[in-house]
Amino acid sequence: LNDVEAPELSGQQLPEGTLDRFRARQIEFSPGAQGQSTLAGQASQPLMLLLGVTVLVLLIVCVNIANLLLARGAARAGEMATRASLGATRGWLVRQLLTESFVLIAIGGILSVVVAALLVRLIAGLLPAGISIVLSPELSTTAMLFAAGASLATVVVFGLVPALRVSDANPAL
């Protein structure tokens, strides 16, 4: 018991200084859920950059969809004026246009989940065996709830403005 031997590492590398702390019998407690991998610390900055780029692309897509909805609404101004002259209220027209926007976004959201599942499976197949165990690539319910929330927010924000503009059609013109 006088001399403590280092444990067998079985081909793994310990972070710098860990073996010295072991031999000096310094014990440091930390959450063990992620193991001794430093992959999370190394990947945090690239993942934050990827998140930023994803948000930027999402914003560009949302603005493009809003422009398409405005253009479609301008082409339907006569239809909306006819509906208003037949007794449709502005609230009814807004609800109809928001429903159309919701169907469009729901189809896009469902297709995006399918594409995401395929991409996660493809990326998991390309990763080396040791890293895929540490990362455990899978579609989480949190990510899917976030996607659903983002889709709903897209409908409300980028579908409401075109709906309000189009529903303001004047039946007298």
Side-chain angles (χ1 to χ4, degrees):
L1 288 178
N2 292 347
D3 190 16
V4 178
E5 292 294 321
E8 284 295 321
L9 299 179
S10 67
Q12 295 179 350
Q13 294 294 324
L14 291 176
E16 194 172 310
T18 302
L19 191 56
D20 294 333
R21 284 194 306 272
F22 177 78
R23 287 187 176 139
R25 296 186 182 182
Q26 296 174 349
I27 298 175
E28 180 181 315
F29 292 101
S30 61
Q34 302 299 319
Q36 292 185 356
S37 175
T38 59
L39 188 60
Q42 294 170 350
S44 65
Q45 188 175 8
L47 287 175
M48 290 303 288
L49 180 65
L50 180 63
L51 177 66
V53 169
T54 303
V55 168
L56 182 64
V57 169
L58 178 65
L59 185 62
I60 290 170
V61 168
C62 289
V63 168
N64 284 337
I65 289 174
N67 283 334
L68 288 173
L69 290 174
L70 280 172
R72 186 180 70 163
R76 294 176 66 186
E79 174 193 346
M80 293 301 137
T82 303
R83 288 176 185 262
S85 67
L86 291 174
T89 63
R90 185 172 186 197
W92 189 86
L93 293 173
V94 168
R95 279 193 303 273
Q96 177 190 351
L97 293 170
L98 276 178
T99 302
E100 291 174 5
S101 297
F102 179 76
V103 169
L104 177 69
I105 298 298
I107 291 170
I110 291 169
L111 289 176
S112 69
V113 168
V114 171
V115 169
L118 291 173
L119 284 175
V120 165
R121 187 172 288 170
L122 175 73
I123 290 171
L126 294 174
L127 290 175
I131 292 179
S132 64
I133 292 172
V134 173
L135 290 179
S136 67
E138 61 186 24
L139 273 182
S140 67
T141 55
T142 306
M144 294 194 5
L145 287 175
F146 175 78
S151 295
L152 186 61
T154 301
V155 168
V156 170
V157 173
F158 293 100
L160 188 61
V161 173
L164 288 174
R165 289 189 91 189
V166 170
S167 69
D168 198 24
N170 186 358
L173 294 177

